[in-house]
Amino acid sequence: MRRTPALRRLVAETNLTTNDLIAPLFVREGITEPQPIVSLPGVMQHTQDSLRDEVDKLANLGVPAVLLFGIPLAKDAEGSESWNPSGVVQVALENLRSDVGGEMVLMADLCVDEYTSHGHCGVLDAAGDVDNDRTLELYAKAAIAQANAGADIVAPSGMMDGQVARIRRALDSTDHSQIAILAYAAKYASAFYGPFRDAVDVTIEGGGHRKSYQQDPANSREALAEVRADIAEGADAVMVKPAGPYLDILTKVRDIVDVPVAAYHVSGEYAMLKAAAEKGWIDGDAAAMEVLTGIKRAGADMILTYLAGEVAAKLD
Ligand code: PBG
């Protein structure tokens, strides 16, 4: 049953398709040319114009969704550009909504870390710890700004307790009850986010990590508790992140929930693959298909990946 390509195609249990892919994209305020990101070969910090071109290309390839991250000119202690109606992501959402209409799903990462001067995912208390409950109020404001600007889905990634409930309430009370929440539910404190932090110009103060709010890689039951809590609070879909080192978590989450499950193949996973391919140590195209097929086989209904464009160009 494995002898020919047709036989293998006939019995394949998992089929990766373009419909499974979400492209994460970066848009930076105050630049006139797109800037390459050294640790993410092939990925750019976009200008508003180059972002529109990129999304047009992805739409033509059939990629159903993009996830936006913004890099503002000005950062402050609370990350106030994340809810400024003329902030970089809000402007991008308005532009893209007018370009793509209903043809593409526009998602916005909802967090303040790209916007805070200290690089944390929330506002800090006097001791320098993230103040969970005050941070929820900032997320509520950012959610409303993103929905006003045209997001279909907001994706809270800060791992604050109660964030999904607070965002749901904010959206419902501002006429945005149709806007969905994709919760970064099981998000681990991972070394694989390194290139992303270059991409968004973030340096984290106070030890350089987020271990006090992101999950410990040693824990799996805890991930299920996080996922159940987010669904109880109103999450429409949940995410496991990173993907490759956490396939066991993905499978367990898929088994216990009935909402769509996303997996984020993160920056470090992408960078490793690209670096090894560049050295000629692995076949990059084959490895990309294998990694994404593995993530789907483990239980992902959708995969956020910097490989989205190049893989979509190869799938039919
Ligand atoms: C937080 C956020 C991060 C990523 C997505 N959203 C960084 C972090 O939590 O430290 C990482 C994505 C990647 O590495 O590709 N806004």
Side-chain angles (χ1 to χ4, degrees), residues 22-26 40 43 67-69 107 109 114 155 157 182-184 186-188 190 192-193 196 199-200 238-247 250 261-270 291-292 295 300-307:
I22 303 166
L25 298 172
F26 302 98
L40 284 177
V43 182
L67 172 75
L68 299 184
F69 294 96
M107 303 186 180
D109 183 84
E114 294 100 43
S157 62
L182 163 60
Y184 286 68
K187 176 171 176 181
Y188 286 85
S190 172
F192 292 97
Y193 305 150
F196 174 89
V200 294
V238 293
M239 191 196 300
V240 174
K241 178 183 171 195
Y246 299 93
L247 294 183
L250 195 51
V261 176
Y264 199 144
H265 179 249
V266 301
S267 58
E269 300 179 84
Y270 173 88
V291 165
L292 298 182
I295 293 168
D301 300 301
M302 43 198 175
I303 306 172
L304 299 107
T305 175
Y306 305 97
L307 295 163

Side-chain angles (χ1 to χ4, degrees), residues 12-299:
E13 297 172 32
T14 307
N15 287 294
L16 185 71
T17 82
T18 302
N19 291 332
D20 304 323
L21 304 173
I22 303 166
L25 298 172
F26 302 98
V27 55
R28 178 170 186 164
E29 192 174 25
I31 55 170
T32 51
E33 290 295 323
Q35 308 288 318
I37 302 160
V38 175
S39 52
L40 284 177
V43 182
M44 300 283 181
Q45 291 180 334
H46 284 290
T47 67
Q48 295 288 354
D49 285 344
S50 71
L51 180 76
R52 296 173 89 153
D53 293 344
E54 180 70 18
V55 171
D56 184 55
K57 262 187 243 157
L58 290 164
N60 287 331
L61 287 166
V63 174
V66 296
L67 172 75
L68 299 184
F69 294 96
I71 305 120
L73 266 180
K75 304 195 184 205
D76 60 27
E78 292 198 324
S80 61
E81 282 299 302
S82 63
W83 62 84
N84 179 352
S86 41
V88 62
V89 159
Q90 280 69 256
V91 170
L93 286 167
E94 277 168 16
N95 289 339
L96 296 176
R97 179 54 69 213
S98 85
D99 292 350
V100 303
E103 291 304 304
M104 204 175 211
V105 177
L106 301 180
M107 303 186 180
D109 183 84
L110 201 173
C111 191
V112 293
D113 65 321
E114 294 100 43
Y115 303 91
T116 54
S117 40
H118 45 71
H120 278 288
C121 295
V123 63
L124 304 182
D125 64 18
D129 294 325
V130 172
D131 185 327
N132 189 96
D133 292 4
R134 273 175 62 213
T135 298
L136 298 183
E137 299 311 308
L138 310 185
Y139 289 180
K141 289 196 269 190
I144 294 166
Q146 293 175 343
N148 283 340
D152 296 296
I153 298 182
V154 298
S157 62
M159 289 300 279
M160 296 300 129
D161 286 349
Q163 62 184 13
V164 173
R166 184 66 191 89
I167 290 166
R168 186 70 271 158
R169 188 152 61 82
L171 293 172
D172 289 350
S173 65
T174 52
D175 228 8
H176 292 305
S177 56
Q178 301 261 28
I179 304 307
I181 301 175
L182 163 60
Y184 286 68
K187 176 171 176 181
Y188 286 85
S190 172
F192 292 97
Y193 305 150
F196 174 89
R197 291 175 189 167
D198 294 340
V200 294
D201 292 340
V202 167
T203 311
I204 305 170
E205 284 177 13
H209 62 77
R210 302 194 169 128
K211 294 181 184 175
S212 64
Y213 41 101
Q214 297 179 346
Q215 278 186 240
D216 188 330
N219 294 351
S220 96
R221 288 192 302 269
E222 188 187 347
L224 304 185
E226 290 279 0
V227 165
R228 288 193 180 98
D230 282 356
I231 290 176
E233 289 178 27
D236 299 286
V238 293
M239 191 196 300
V240 174
K241 178 183 171 195
Y246 299 93
L247 294 183
D248 58 327
I249 309 297
L250 195 51
T251 300
K252 284 183 186 167
V253 169
R254 175 68 291 166
D255 285 348
I256 65 158
V257 305
D258 294 317
V259 299
V261 176
Y264 199 144
H265 179 249
V266 301
S267 58
E269 300 179 84
Y270 173 88
M272 285 195 307
L273 192 149
K274 287 291 175 188
E278 198 181 290
K279 282 187 173 281
W281 291 349
I282 60 171
D283 174 341
D285 289 347
M289 287 304 235
E290 184 175 338
V291 165
L292 298 182
T293 300
I295 293 168
K296 183 164 185 188
R297 191 195 62 238

